[in-house]
Amino acid sequence: MIRIVTARRLRETEGRLTGARARAQKAETRADQLTDRAVADLAAASERAEAAERRAATARWDAELARAALEDVRTEAAGWRGELEAVLRGPVVVVVLLHRGRLHSVHAREEDARRTAESDPVAPADPGGWTGWKPLAEAPKETIWCLRRVSVQRPAPSAHDTPTGVHGVPAGVHGGPVGGGRDG
């Protein structure tokens, strides 16, 4: 069977074809715009991801540097701790102040012992009369004031920070700003 197509039908078909072509062109243009936008969004997201990776790599590097520095500090602190413990376990030198051959006081520093002897209210020492060190046996009993350096073992760290009886500079003890203790 042969179909006869009329001119009117042909025009309608051509009109629909033209409309379909126009819609297809619009759809293609819109698809190209969406593709371009998706490509741009993907490129921006990729750039942001690469920037984040660079920041993460920099942060990892900084963390490694900080970790290495911390380890150096820990190692140095452990060395200092060992040195401090060795010092605290070892002997300490104190200054013994003798008055007429008898123990007067024990001091942490020679200057404190001299100041105590020089400020004694009963028999003050002559500020210029200090002589060199002599063995204890060589110091005659007539010598009023005499200083001796003595090495003593430190007490256990749990006992005291400084040897018991050693006077420092606080008030009320030998060498302090105000006299105190036995014999001034």
Side-chain angles (χ1 to χ4, degrees), residues 122-183:
V122 177
D126 178 19
W130 298 102
T131 59
W133 296 100
K134 298 178 187 174
L136 189 58
E138 292 182 21
K141 294 234 183 216
E142 295 79 38
T143 303
I144 296 177
W145 294 102
C146 182
L147 299 176
R148 295 288 179 243
R149 288 187 189 128
V150 178
S151 178
V152 294
Q153 188 63 36
R154 283 190 186 270
S158 61
H160 298 285
D161 291 334
T162 59
T164 305
V166 175
H167 297 295
V169 294
V173 297
H174 298 295
V178 178
R182 192 181 81 130
D183 294 337

Side-chain angles (χ1 to χ4, degrees), residues 65-141:
L65 289 177
R67 188 176 297 121
L70 178 62
E71 190 58 36
D72 290 346
V73 168
R74 283 182 179 158
T75 302
E76 190 174 356
W80 289 345
R81 189 177 304 116
E83 288 180 25
L84 179 62
E85 288 172 359
V87 166
L88 292 178
R89 283 191 305 267
V92 63
V93 175
V94 295
V95 178
V96 175
L97 179 62
L98 301 173
H99 182 248
R100 297 199 182 272
R102 296 184 65 199
L103 177 64
H104 179 270
S105 55
V106 179
H107 299 268
R109 299 180 312 167
E110 184 177 331
E111 299 82 35
D112 296 335
R114 287 183 183 193
R115 193 175 318 116
T116 298
E118 292 168 2
S119 64
D120 187 72
V122 177
D126 178 19
W130 298 102
T131 59
W133 296 100
K134 298 178 187 174
L136 189 58
E138 292 182 21
K141 294 234 183 216

